[in-house]
Amino acid sequence: MSILEVTNLEKSFGKTRVLKGVSFTLEAGEVLSVIGSSGSGKTTLLRCINALETADGGRITVDGSVIFDSERTQKFSKAEQRRNQRKVGLVFQQFNLFPQYNVLQNVTLPMLLQARSRRDDSGRRALTAQIEATARGYLERVNLSDKLESYPCELSGGQQQRVAIARALALEPKILFFDEPTSALDPELTVEVLKVIRGLKNAGRTMVVVTHEMEFARNVSDKVIFMADGVIEEEGTPEQLFGAPKSEKTAAFLTRSYD
Amino acid sequence: MFWSVTQSLLEGFGKTAELFALTLLFAIPLGLVVSFGSMSRFGPLKWLVRSFVWVIRGTPLMLQLIIVFYGPGLLGTGAQNLLSGGYDGRFLQLVEWVASWTVHSRMVAALVAFVINYACYFSEIYRGGIESIPVGQYEACQVLGMTKTQAFFRVVLLQVVKRIVPPMGNEIITLVKDTSLARTIAVYEILWNAQKFTKTNGLLWPLLYSGLFYLVFTGVLTVLLRRIEKRMDYFKSV
Ligand SMILES: Nc1ncnc2c1ncn2[C@@H]1O[C@H](COP(=O)(O)OP(=O)(O)OP(=O)(O)O)[C@@H](O)[C@H]1O
Ligand SMILES: [Mg+2]
């Protein structure tokens, strides 16, 4: 069974149909890159899976449980919605760190709030200490152990994005989604972020990355999807898609991207 | 003479400070309620609240003072006349009852007018502050599994506070001086007491002296507000 199954996902904004029936699957431990020109619906796809938008049609299954189904008559309760939300994580293009909290606090805040709502009070002190230790561990993985006390405004864009990655990872989502994680960064800073994502792949994380970095998509992903006009125009291994694209649209897009 | 003037001004200043403090005490939270109303997703409520804010901000505070002070009394008299003229009705009785207790205190009338007026000004500042927080902050909260309440109190609120402290400071300084309008309905605040000496003794300096009170008061407030701003200097809003 695949860890992610997206079936016939549809989404319109007013009269514009942005997703026109998108279906794909992803296996645990795989990295999927989503490429495609501006406006093809990549962000919308990620936002629908992460419940920032409500799709109009289709079904999304993560790790065997349905997190969205337009056929479902009974709505998910608030608690169920949050439980579904926990299965997936999203890293934004603009980081969206919390400016008034330092690096460590940015990572621990969501963890603390979740732990409390789950009410496994094994002593608040012990719990807090344990969460902090976990958070430090994740920050070490993104090479930020020396910035724990810094505030977001004191960090470079690359560092901020790595905090955002640690913050999302710390909640242990089944799948981590990235929406153009390096597009807001200077070229010299994209390297450090891509290196972190590569490291996560080696650690066996399941990830979906929307990206304009063709080299990255080619070298790091197990699977690539090319989106055009709200549909998946072509999908395959990086070798197939970059080496021998079947669709003319794909070929044209790749030629343009390499200019 | 100096001492009797000082004593009289201090007495007046007591009223001024009381009006100032009570107005802030009530208007700061009431403003939040009004701002939520003006951002309501329920259209009729939103437009009702926004129209009300427009009326309050678009007319002189002095006019509002006079209306709050005399209005209920005049309505009450009207109601009474109708009642004694044989008309009956719970509504009229209610009007009369309300009128019977609001009219008694000039201070209460002044306070009501000030609180309503300032709550409306504050609500617009709050609204500006809340709406200036990028939607990405809320989205990050949602994706990180927070509830809406957690997002507001744990993430958004402090950023809003940081943004509204400077404009709130301006309004608060203005309020210090606006309290002198209360003399319109004969609340004996500091300026009224100072002018008393000009009228009866032909002295100018008590007026200047009262100006000194205002200066010291606003000076202290300015320093306090600067401190609050400084305390939030450690982070920059996104
Ligand atoms: N909230 C919205 N309201 C209306 N239209 C929207 C909204 N969000 C996206 N769209 C439209 O949907 C289409 C797809 O947008 P989307 O952001 O998913 O594209 P994208 O593939 O991520 O593009 P890019 O590479 O520029 O990020 C665009 O035409 C966009 O204008
Ligand atoms: Mg996009």
Side-chain angles (χ1 to χ4, degrees):
Chain A
M1 183 188 58
S2 308
I3 194 155
L4 174 64
E5 288 174 22
V6 174
T7 319
N8 251 323
L9 206 63
E10 290 180 27
K11 175 70 184 171
S12 304
F13 291 110
K15 288 211 174 87
T16 5
R17 290 182 68 204
V18 177
L19 298 180
K20 305 171 184 167
V22 171
S23 308
F24 65 93
T25 61
L26 187 66
E27 304 307 315
E30 282 189 341
V31 175
L32 166 68
S33 287
V34 180
I35 60 174
S37 50
S38 187
S40 55
K42 308 181 296 293
T43 296
T44 307
L45 174 63
L46 255 53
R47 289 175 62 85
C48 285
I49 299 175
N50 284 275
L52 291 174
E53 304 285 357
T54 309
D56 303 321
R59 224 165 89 101
I60 303 168
T61 309
V62 174
D63 200 24
S65 56
V66 176
I67 63 165
F68 175 79
D69 189 352
S70 59
E71 309 275 278
R72 228 179 110 107
T73 42
Q74 192 188 2
K75 272 194 175 175
F76 285 114
S77 70
K78 285 249 156 68
E80 284 172 322
Q81 279 172 22
R82 251 176 291 125
R83 197 201 53 213
N84 289 340
Q85 190 93 59
R86 278 207 290 272
K87 295 187 194 301
V88 290
L90 177 62
V91 173
F92 299 85
Q93 188 177 343
Q94 299 296 342
F95 333 132
N96 293 334
L97 294 183
F98 306 136
Q100 74 268 41
Y101 292 115
N102 69 26
V103 167
L104 186 61
Q105 290 165 335
N106 259 278
V107 179
T108 54
L109 179 70
M111 299 171 81
L112 286 166
L113 293 176
Q114 272 193 14
R116 254 174 237 163
S117 69
R118 274 191 227 144
R119 292 205 183 284
D120 43 4
D121 303 62
S122 50
R124 188 165 272 195
R125 273 256 177 88
L127 184 69
T128 311
Q130 181 201 329
I131 282 176
E132 248 192 60
T134 315
R136 280 170 200 273
Y138 282 105
L139 284 162
E140 197 181 323
R141 281 200 224 171
V142 297
N143 303 321
L144 281 171
S145 292
D146 55 336
K147 295 285 181 194
L148 299 180
E149 312 273 294
S150 304
Y151 286 88
C153 62
E154 301 162 346
L155 302 177
S156 74
Q159 289 167 335
Q160 289 188 53
Q161 191 59 298
R162 285 185 280 142
V163 178
I165 293 173
R167 184 175 71 170
L169 273 178
L171 297 177
E172 294 288 343
K174 305 272 183 212
I175 310 167
L176 189 52
F177 293 80
F178 296 80
D179 190 8
E180 302 193 28
T182 60
S183 290
L185 303 177
D186 294 335
E188 68 270 23
L189 297 179
T190 58
V191 182
E192 60 189 47
V193 172
L194 295 182
K195 212 171 97 185
V196 164
I197 298 177
R198 197 167 302 182
L200 293 176
K201 176 196 161 75
N202 295 337
R205 293 265 163 199
T206 313
M207 295 183 285
V208 176
V209 188
V210 171
T211 184
H212 286 299
E213 300 281 335
M214 292 306 149
E215 279 309 313
F216 173 82
R218 187 167 195 161
N219 297 327
V220 178
S221 37
D222 301 292
K223 188 171 174 181
V224 183
I225 282 178
F226 170 65
M227 281 189 69
D229 290 326
V231 294
I232 295 180
E233 176 73 19
E234 186 166 351
E235 66 176 294
T237 64
E239 293 75 29
Q240 287 166 355
L241 206 124
F242 288 98
K246 292 194 200 80
S247 142
E248 266 172 39
K249 271 192 194 167
T250 316
F253 173 78
L254 290 175
T255 327
R256 257 182 291 134
S257 309
Y258 277 116
D259 280 345
Chain B
M1 193 66 203
F2 180 74
W3 286 118
S4 70
V5 170
T6 305
Q7 207 173 21
S8 169
L9 289 192
L10 274 174
E11 222 169 86
F13 183 72
K15 271 267 175 273
T16 298
E18 188 187 344
L19 190 54
F20 171 83
L22 289 176
T23 300
L24 282 190
L25 184 71
F26 292 113
I28 285 176
L30 184 62
L32 197 61
V33 176
V34 176
S35 79
F36 285 146
S38 71
M39 291 184 289
S40 168
R41 255 177 280 166
F42 179 59
L45 177 66
K46 182 172 91 178
W47 289 112
L48 191 74
V49 173
R50 288 198 181 183
S51 309
F52 182 74
V53 170
W54 172 62
V55 169
I56 296 296
R57 298 208 314 162
T59 56
L61 176 52
M62 197 186 281
L63 176 64
Q64 294 159 21
L65 269 168
I66 297 170
I67 288 178
V68 169
F69 184 54
Y70 293 107
L74 292 177
L75 280 179
T77 318
Q80 223 163 22
N81 287 343
L82 285 176
L83 278 173
S84 56
Y87 290 92
D88 197 15
R90 295 212 168 269
F91 178 69
L92 288 179
Q93 281 169 357
L94 183 74
V95 169
E96 199 200 5
W97 178 73
V98 170
S100 70
W101 61 266
T102 45
V103 82
H104 288 319
S105 164
R106 293 160 189 279
M107 185 63 181
V108 170
L111 193 59
V112 168
F114 273 89
V115 167
I116 292 175
N117 185 277
Y118 272 82
C120 287
Y121 276 95
F122 290 166
S123 78
E124 286 294 281
I125 294 177
Y126 296 158
R127 184 160 74 88
I130 291 172
E131 286 178 347
S132 73
I133 304 300
V135 65
Q137 291 286 306
Y138 295 97
E139 293 187 344
C141 289
Q142 190 199 320
V143 170
L144 293 164
M146 295 186 205
T147 62
K148 289 217 166 85
T149 321
Q150 288 171 339
F152 185 76
F153 286 104
R154 305 303 291 266
V155 173
V156 174
L157 186 60
L158 192 62
Q159 297 180 53
V160 173
V161 171
K162 183 182 168 81
R163 274 169 210 236
I164 66 174
V165 165
M168 285 293 280
N170 283 338
E171 288 301 325
I172 288 170
I173 299 288
T174 305
L175 173 61
V176 173
K177 295 168 288 177
D178 271 357
T179 52
S180 62
L181 288 172
R183 67 202 293 273
T184 322
I185 56 170
V187 171
Y188 301 149
E189 45 71 62
I190 183 167
L191 195 56
W192 194 90
N193 282 6
Q195 205 182 5
K196 190 175 62 188
F197 291 101
T198 312
K199 278 185 189 152
T200 53
N201 306 55
L203 296 173
L204 182 63
W205 64 265
L207 279 176
L208 299 177
Y209 192 12
S210 75
L212 198 63
F213 276 81
Y214 284 109
L215 275 180
V216 172
F217 195 15
T218 52
V220 169
L221 285 172
T222 308
V223 171
L224 279 177
L225 287 162
R226 265 309 296 154
R227 268 210 202 150
I228 297 176
E229 275 181 53
K230 271 257 144 57
R231 285 201 57 174
M232 287 182 291
D233 265 357
Y234 73 92
F235 75 89
K236 285 201 190 65
S237 331
V238 272

